[in-house]
Amino acid sequence: MQSFDLTSTKAERWFYGFLSAALVSCVVEDVICGIWKIHTGQYFPWRHVPIVPLYPAPVLLIEWGFLFLSAWMIALGKNRRLGSLIGAVTLLVSLTQRYSNHRSLIVIVLIYLAVSSAKHLRFAYQMIRYQLILVYLFSALAKIDAGFLSGETLSAIGHNVRGAMLPDSWVRAILMSSASRPLAWLTVVAELGMPILLLKAPMVGFGLVLLLHCSFSLMMPAIWPFTFVMIAMAALFLRDFQAVE
Amino acid sequence: MPWYYRVLLILNIAYCCVGLMTKKLPAWGMFAKVEATDFHLVDAQGLPIEINSYLPVGAYLTSKKAALPVVQFICEKNQTRAPLMFSESISGFKINLPIGKCDAKL
């Protein structure tokens, strides 16, 4: 009988691979988006937690170094528990400099891995699966509550977007067209349906997670860490197609 | 499942519920509500100041409330170009920032 608790070796490899990619992309995006200039005073301290001082720019290099170290340890299986702890602590510190939902989600995943011994790793995977369900569910509920289904928010995002991987004019054309309302509904339906698909038809669900989040990342800049961590979490829903005891 | 995982899960769900109900916590309401905005900042000569040039890529000014601290920051850095005029053309909001006074509020 197939057990939901068991995760295939391939799924685990994908999970750790995409989680490492999430950590690396945090650094890459910091560099591309000009976060250094926040710490030199040239840019506004965007989403900075005011009770903690902004650290000098060279400290960012230390932060990035630890994130790379964490990614390397997790990807290669070199003491993943310690690698997760290093990544979690580094990201927690970085959250005081600029808050982001993406990083806080990665922190949650890393904390589950850091507190779990090898014996309890399957519980960590279970908690991470619950976390993905919670993110989709509450994201959809927040959207419904805020009137997202009218399409006006998508339209506004299209109006405000700059620096996406797709040309800004394409993003505007998609999000500010008459398709904004159906796309809004599609987004919420996808967020509500994704957990169900991942539970009932994991490969289909995983494919849709890839499609949904990669399309978000093409249309909006600086969200690749979120894309990678969501894909990582979705990988934990995959399991061996052979019957297991 | 060890007890501390259950505690973490309960705390997690509670955080999400509080975030959804109060809107005071970030929770997972990413981009649930974004205002269409068309911000303009001009100096004493009427020359435009590009607000986005003081922000990292990916920083979305989703509302006037989000924009005002940024405008204040730009004003403090550009006192030689004061007074500055900040406006949002969709809502008709305008605020003047005279020399030495960068306190921008709704």
Side-chain angles (χ1 to χ4, degrees), chain B residues 55-71:
Chain B
L55 288 169
V57 176
Y60 280 92
L61 291 179
T62 55
S63 64
K64 289 188 286 295
K65 189 177 169 192
L68 287 173
V70 185
V71 169

Side-chain angles (χ1 to χ4, degrees), chain A residues 189-218:
Chain A
V189 166
E191 285 182 340
L192 289 172
M194 209 67 80
I196 300 168
L197 262 181
L198 283 167
L199 288 167
K200 297 290 182 195
M203 283 302 290
V204 174
F206 183 74
L208 281 174
V209 167
L210 266 171
L211 184 66
L212 183 76
H213 288 285
C214 287
S215 61
F216 288 166
S217 281
L218 288 173

Side-chain angles (χ1 to χ4, degrees), chain A residues 33 35 38 41-46 99 101 104-105 108 112 115-116 120 123-124 126-127 130-131 134-135 138-139 141-143 145-146 148 153 156-157 159-162 220-222 226, chain B residues 1-2 4-6 8-9 12-13 15-17 20 23 26-38 52-62 66 69-71 73 77 90:
Chain A
C33 295
I35 298 301
I38 292 177
Q42 292 165 270
Y43 280 178
F44 174 77
W46 181 250
Y99 180 80
N101 275 332
S104 61
L105 182 58
I108 291 170
Y112 284 136
V115 303
S116 303
H120 289 151
F123 298 124
Q126 185 74 330
M127 295 297 287
Y130 288 146
Q131 182 63 47
L134 286 174
V135 171
F138 282 91
S139 176
L141 290 175
K143 286 184 170 74
D145 186 50
F148 183 87
T153 287
I157 290 171
H159 178 81
N160 295 345
V161 75
R162 61 179 182 105
M220 294 168 67
F226 183 69
Chain B
M1 182 181 274
Y4 46 88
Y5 288 107
R6 290 201 180 90
L8 283 173
L9 183 60
N12 199 343
I13 294 171
Y15 170 79
C16 292
C17 291
L20 181 66
K23 321 271 187 291
W28 303 114
M30 293 88 61
F31 295 107
K33 177 80 178 166
V34 173
E35 293 173 16
T37 54
D38 189 17
N52 288 329
S53 63
Y54 290 87
L55 288 169
V57 176
Y60 280 92
L61 291 179
T62 55
V70 185
V71 169
F73 174 84
K77 287 206 163 290
I90 295 175

